[in-house]
Amino acid sequence: MGTNGSTVLEPLRQGLPPIDPAAVSSSASCALPARYEAVRGARQFTRTTLCQWELDDRFDDVALVVSELVTNALRHALPSDTPREPQEPPVRLHLMRWTTRLVCAVRDPSHAGPTARESDEDFAAESGRGLFLVDSFSDTWGWHPLAGSLHGKVVWALFRLRAE
């Protein structure tokens, strides 16, 4: 756990709404195994990080969005032949804090973009509501493919924070 260098964060920052990358005050990331138990680990990592950043009051909304993004990455973005313990974990959670914004982002190996459930589909269905929840609980969200030596995409959600 800890920061993962600017090589991952820079393309992520470029895909975000205009934010001065030099103004990022804190960032943290963790690798997640290709197992559904990773969702619980992502929530625990999010709780610990938000507590360190004194953002405990945002945990419920942020953790819900993190859970959905990680679940989507595990469910839709991992090829079926992903080894149980690959050398580089296939899914990574990034949390970045600016003065008035918090971003959670999940990197996965798929190049396919996330697709939201059509409005006339059954919202009572167990799956397919993830992006609707992400859209409802975050201020904005998006995704972009990674370039260079990084493969896959990043799906991110932004939360506005109260100015101190």
Side-chain angles (χ1 to χ4, degrees):
M1 294 191 193
T3 59
N4 192 34
S6 63
T7 56
V8 170
L9 298 182
E10 192 54 38
L12 172 58
R13 289 179 184 138
Q14 292 170 4
L16 294 173
I19 301 173
D20 177 8
V24 70
S25 57
S26 305
S27 65
S29 70
C30 70
L32 300 169
R35 296 188 300 270
Y36 284 107
E37 303 87 65
V39 175
R40 183 178 30 193
R43 289 177 63 87
Q44 290 170 341
F45 176 78
T46 299
R47 180 181 295 281
T48 300
T49 303
L50 293 184
C51 285
Q52 290 171 349
W53 293 346
E54 298 179 356
L55 295 174
D56 315 55
D57 60 320
R58 299 305 305 267
F59 173 74
D60 291 340
D61 290 351
V62 174
L64 176 83
V65 168
V66 163
S67 296
E68 293 300 333
L69 294 180
V70 170
T71 298
N72 283 349
L74 294 170
R75 181 177 290 152
H76 302 294
L78 296 180
S80 57
D81 59 351
T82 298
R84 289 302 259 174
E85 294 297 331
Q87 193 148 10
E88 171 69 16
V91 176
R92 190 163 194 96
L93 168 64
H94 298 272
L95 299 173
M96 291 169 285
R97 179 186 181 188
W98 286 263
T99 306
T100 59
R101 297 175 184 177
L102 171 73
V103 171
C104 59
V106 175
R107 176 172 57 109
D108 67 56
S110 172
H111 291 284
T115 54
R117 179 180 287 279
E118 294 298 321
S119 59
D120 59 347
E121 290 188 50
D122 180 11
F123 276 100
E126 181 62 29
S127 66
R129 296 180 305 195
L131 293 176
F132 175 77
L133 292 173
V134 170
D135 189 58
S136 298
F137 284 87
S138 66
D139 289 296
T140 187
W141 71 277
W143 75 280
H144 66 275
L146 295 172
S149 63
L150 297 171
H151 300 287
K153 70 175 175 299
V154 170
V155 182
W156 55 266
L158 181 144
F159 298 84
R160 285 183 171 68
L161 304 174
R162 290 184 301 272
E164 296 179 15

